[in-house]
Amino acid sequence: MTTARETVLGRIKDALALAPAPDTTVPRAYRTGRTLSDGERLALFTDRLVDYKAHVHTCTADGTAAVVARVLRERGARRIGVPAGLDTAWLGAYDGEVRQDGADIPAPRLDELDGVVTASAVSCAETGTIFLDGSPDQGRRALSLVPDLHVCVVDLSTVEVGVPEAVARLVPERPTTLISGPSATSDIELERVEGVHGPRTLAVVIRTDA
Protein backbone atom coordinates (compact mmCIF):
# COMPACT_ATOMS: atom_id res chain seq x y z
CA MET A 1 0.00 0.00 0.00
CA THR A 2 1.34 3.42 -0.97
CA THR A 3 1.58 5.92 1.88
CA ALA A 4 0.41 9.50 1.58
CA ARG A 5 4.04 10.64 1.80
CA GLU A 6 5.07 8.42 -1.10
CA THR A 7 2.12 9.65 -3.15
CA VAL A 8 2.99 13.32 -2.61
CA LEU A 9 6.69 12.82 -3.32
CA GLY A 10 5.88 10.79 -6.43
CA ARG A 11 3.67 13.55 -7.83
CA ILE A 12 6.37 16.14 -7.15
CA LYS A 13 8.93 13.97 -8.94
CA ASP A 14 6.61 13.55 -11.95
CA ALA A 15 5.94 17.29 -12.10
CA LEU A 16 9.64 18.11 -12.04
CA ALA A 17 10.30 15.65 -14.83
CA LEU A 18 7.63 17.28 -17.02
CA ALA A 19 8.85 20.81 -16.35
CA PRO A 20 12.65 20.87 -16.02
CA ALA A 21 14.03 23.95 -14.36
CA PRO A 22 15.30 26.59 -16.81
CA ASP A 23 18.90 27.71 -16.68
CA THR A 24 19.14 30.51 -14.15
CA THR A 25 21.95 32.94 -13.54
CA VAL A 26 22.17 33.93 -9.91
CA PRO A 27 23.25 37.58 -9.54
CA ARG A 28 26.41 37.94 -7.47
CA ALA A 29 26.70 41.72 -7.51
CA TYR A 30 27.02 41.99 -3.75
CA ARG A 31 27.97 45.31 -2.21
CA THR A 32 31.61 44.84 -1.27
CA GLY A 33 34.70 46.85 -0.48
CA ARG A 34 33.16 48.98 2.25
CA THR A 35 35.56 50.35 4.82
CA LEU A 36 35.37 52.35 8.04
CA SER A 37 38.04 53.64 10.35
CA ASP A 38 39.06 51.51 13.34
CA GLY A 39 37.10 53.76 15.66
CA GLU A 40 33.96 53.62 13.52
CA ARG A 41 34.10 49.83 13.16
CA LEU A 42 34.64 49.43 16.90
CA ALA A 43 31.71 51.72 17.73
CA LEU A 44 29.36 50.00 15.26
CA PHE A 45 30.38 46.49 16.31
CA THR A 46 30.03 47.35 20.00
CA ASP A 47 26.61 48.91 19.46
CA ARG A 48 25.32 45.77 17.73
CA LEU A 49 26.78 43.42 20.35
CA VAL A 50 25.28 45.38 23.23
CA ASP A 51 21.94 45.44 21.45
CA TYR A 52 22.11 41.63 21.39
CA LYS A 53 22.78 41.69 25.16
CA ALA A 54 26.40 40.62 24.86
CA HIS A 55 28.95 42.00 27.34
CA VAL A 56 31.71 43.94 25.59
CA HIS A 57 35.19 44.63 26.96
CA THR A 58 37.98 46.41 25.11
CA CYS A 59 41.70 46.20 25.74
CA THR A 60 45.08 46.35 24.06
CA ALA A 61 46.80 43.10 23.12
CA ASP A 62 49.08 43.17 26.16
CA GLY A 63 46.06 43.56 28.44
CA THR A 64 44.24 40.47 27.14
CA ALA A 65 45.14 38.21 30.08
CA ALA A 66 44.02 40.72 32.70
CA VAL A 67 40.67 41.38 31.03
CA VAL A 68 39.94 37.70 30.36
CA ALA A 69 40.74 36.86 34.00
CA ARG A 70 38.53 39.69 35.25
CA VAL A 71 35.61 38.57 33.09
CA LEU A 72 35.91 34.98 34.27
CA ARG A 73 36.23 36.05 37.90
CA GLU A 74 33.18 38.33 37.71
CA ARG A 75 31.16 35.46 36.22
CA GLY A 76 32.30 33.02 38.90
CA ALA A 77 33.96 30.70 36.38
CA ARG A 78 36.30 28.41 38.32
CA ARG A 79 36.59 25.66 35.70
CA ILE A 80 36.91 26.59 32.03
CA GLY A 81 37.53 24.80 28.77
CA VAL A 82 39.83 25.98 26.00
CA PRO A 83 40.60 24.76 22.48
CA ALA A 84 43.99 23.12 22.02
CA GLY A 85 45.41 25.99 19.96
CA LEU A 86 44.41 28.90 22.20
CA ASP A 87 47.22 31.30 23.11
CA THR A 88 48.05 30.24 26.68
CA ALA A 89 49.27 33.78 27.46
CA TRP A 90 45.62 34.89 27.41
CA LEU A 91 45.06 32.85 30.58
CA GLY A 92 48.19 34.00 32.38
CA ALA A 93 46.24 35.94 35.00
CA TYR A 94 43.51 33.32 35.53
CA ASP A 95 43.85 31.24 38.70
CA GLY A 96 41.08 28.71 38.07
CA GLU A 97 41.14 25.24 36.51
CA VAL A 98 41.79 25.06 32.77
CA ARG A 99 40.79 21.99 30.77
CA GLN A 100 41.99 21.56 27.20
CA ASP A 101 39.27 20.25 24.92
CA GLY A 102 39.72 17.36 22.51
CA ALA A 103 37.69 15.25 20.13
CA ASP A 104 37.85 12.32 22.56
CA ILE A 105 35.90 14.21 25.23
CA PRO A 106 32.16 13.48 24.99
CA ALA A 107 30.10 16.61 24.39
CA PRO A 108 27.91 16.05 27.50
CA ARG A 109 31.02 16.35 29.69
CA LEU A 110 31.45 19.93 28.49
CA ASP A 111 28.49 20.78 30.71
CA GLU A 112 30.85 20.36 33.68
CA LEU A 113 32.60 23.57 32.64
CA ASP A 114 31.68 26.99 33.97
CA GLY A 115 32.70 28.60 30.72
CA VAL A 116 34.91 28.51 27.65
CA VAL A 117 37.44 30.91 26.16
CA THR A 118 38.03 30.96 22.40
CA ALA A 119 39.49 33.15 19.71
CA SER A 120 37.54 34.05 16.55
CA ALA A 121 38.07 34.03 12.79
CA VAL A 122 36.32 37.18 11.57
CA SER A 123 33.45 39.43 12.63
CA CYS A 124 30.89 41.69 10.98
CA ALA A 125 30.36 45.12 12.53
CA GLU A 126 27.11 45.84 10.68
CA THR A 127 25.33 42.78 12.09
CA GLY A 128 27.32 42.24 15.29
CA THR A 129 28.13 38.71 14.17
CA ILE A 130 31.21 36.72 15.17
CA PHE A 131 32.37 33.88 12.92
CA LEU A 132 34.17 30.81 14.29
CA ASP A 133 35.71 28.46 11.75
CA GLY A 134 36.93 25.56 13.86
CA SER A 135 40.58 26.65 13.76
CA PRO A 136 42.83 25.32 16.57
CA ASP A 137 42.32 28.47 18.66
CA GLN A 138 38.51 28.21 18.31
CA GLY A 139 37.91 24.50 18.68
CA ARG A 140 34.98 22.31 17.75
CA ARG A 141 31.46 23.67 17.63
CA ALA A 142 30.30 21.84 20.78
CA LEU A 143 32.89 23.65 22.88
CA SER A 144 31.34 27.04 22.18
CA LEU A 145 27.75 25.80 22.52
CA VAL A 146 27.54 23.61 25.63
CA PRO A 147 29.10 25.72 28.45
CA ASP A 148 26.86 28.49 29.77
CA LEU A 149 29.52 31.21 29.39
CA HIS A 150 31.49 31.99 26.24
CA VAL A 151 34.34 34.47 26.43
CA CYS A 152 35.33 35.22 22.84
CA VAL A 153 38.44 37.22 22.00
CA VAL A 154 38.14 39.32 18.83
CA ASP A 155 40.96 41.23 17.16
CA LEU A 156 39.70 44.53 15.77
CA SER A 157 41.74 43.89 12.61
CA THR A 158 39.43 40.95 11.85
CA VAL A 159 36.23 43.00 12.11
CA GLU A 160 34.83 43.84 8.67
CA VAL A 161 32.07 46.33 7.92
CA GLY A 162 29.51 44.06 6.27
CA VAL A 163 28.61 40.44 5.66
CA PRO A 164 30.10 40.14 2.12
CA GLU A 165 33.42 41.51 3.34
CA ALA A 166 33.43 39.15 6.32
CA VAL A 167 32.46 36.06 4.33
CA ALA A 168 35.21 36.81 1.79
CA ARG A 169 37.77 36.26 4.56
CA LEU A 170 36.47 32.82 5.46
CA VAL A 171 37.75 29.51 4.12
CA PRO A 172 34.70 27.86 2.47
CA GLU A 173 35.84 24.34 3.37
CA ARG A 174 35.95 25.06 7.11
CA PRO A 175 32.87 24.56 9.35
CA THR A 176 31.52 27.98 10.27
CA THR A 177 29.57 28.96 13.37
CA LEU A 178 27.89 32.36 13.43
CA ILE A 179 27.33 34.01 16.81
CA SER A 180 25.11 37.06 17.24
CA GLY A 181 24.82 37.58 20.99
CA PRO A 182 23.99 34.96 23.63
CA SER A 183 21.65 32.13 22.72
CA ALA A 184 18.06 33.29 23.03
CA THR A 185 14.56 32.65 21.78
CA SER A 186 11.03 33.77 22.59
CA ASP A 187 8.08 31.70 23.69
CA ILE A 188 4.55 32.03 22.33
CA GLU A 189 3.97 35.12 24.47
CA LEU A 190 7.20 36.70 23.17
CA GLU A 191 8.95 36.31 26.49
CA ARG A 192 12.71 36.19 25.88
CA VAL A 193 14.40 33.03 27.14
CA GLU A 194 18.20 32.86 27.09
CA GLY A 195 20.50 29.85 27.02
CA VAL A 196 18.18 27.58 25.04
CA HIS A 197 20.49 26.64 22.16
CA GLY A 198 23.86 27.73 23.50
CA PRO A 199 25.61 29.93 26.09
CA ARG A 200 23.40 32.11 28.26
CA THR A 201 26.19 34.69 28.52
CA LEU A 202 28.48 35.98 25.76
CA ALA A 203 31.41 38.18 26.74
CA VAL A 204 33.39 39.66 23.86
CA VAL A 205 36.92 40.92 24.50
CA ILE A 206 37.93 43.22 21.62
CA ARG A 207 41.66 43.80 21.26
CA THR A 208 41.86 47.24 19.71
CA ASP A 209 45.46 47.05 18.51
CA ALA A 210 45.44 43.51 17.15
Side-chain angles (χ1 to χ4, degrees):
M1 179 180 293
T2 302
T3 66
R5 178 177 182 275
E6 292 171 336
T7 299
V8 171
L9 292 178
R11 290 176 179 175
I12 292 174
K13 182 178 179 180
D14 292 341
L16 291 175
L18 293 172
D23 293 335
T24 302
T25 301
V26 179
R28 302 293 186 185
Y30 304 124
R31 182 173 55 176
T32 60
R34 289 174 293 168
T35 60
L36 291 173
S37 68
D38 286 354
E40 291 172 322
R41 281 184 293 113
L42 175 61
L44 180 60
F45 187 43
T46 300
D47 176 76
R48 297 297 190 268
L49 288 171
V50 171
D51 190 52
Y52 290 144
K53 300 187 183 302
H55 303 272
V56 181
H57 309 266
T58 58
C59 66
T60 56
D62 60 5
T64 306
V67 173
V68 169
R70 174 166 56 82
V71 172
L72 293 172
R73 182 173 60 252
E74 290 174 350
R75 296 292 165 184
R78 301 302 306 164
R79 182 188 301 111
I80 66 167
V82 298
L86 190 76
D87 187 345
T88 56
W90 294 359
L91 303 174
Y94 176 65
D95 60 359
E97 179 184 348
V98 178
R99 295 184 180 180
Q100 182 174 297
D101 187 41
D104 59 328
I105 299 176
R109 285 193 56 191
L110 297 175
D111 195 42
E112 300 172 0
L113 302 172
D114 298 320
V116 57
V117 178
T118 75
S120 56
V122 65
S123 297
C124 173
E126 194 170 59
T127 63
T129 304
I130 300 170
F131 297 74
L132 307 184
D133 67 0
S135 293
D137 60 357
Q138 297 156 54
R140 54 177 173 160
R141 181 168 292 156
L143 181 63
S144 62
L145 293 179
V146 177
D148 203 40
L149 166 67
H150 182 189
V151 179
C152 188
V153 179
V154 174
D155 291 344
L156 184 58
S157 62
T158 67
V159 179
E160 294 288 345
V161 176
V163 173
E165 293 87 355
V167 170
R169 294 183 60 163
L170 296 170
V171 178
E173 293 77 18
R174 299 197 65 84
T176 305
T177 301
L178 280 64
I179 301 172
S180 295
S183 170
T185 189
S186 296
D187 61 19
I188 195 171
E189 296 179 349
L190 299 182
E191 291 292 333
R192 180 183 173 92
V193 180
E194 297 179 349
V196 178
H197 309 296
R200 193 187 315 272
T201 303
L202 172 66
V204 183
V205 177
I206 305 174
R207 309 200 309 167
T208 57
D209 60 346

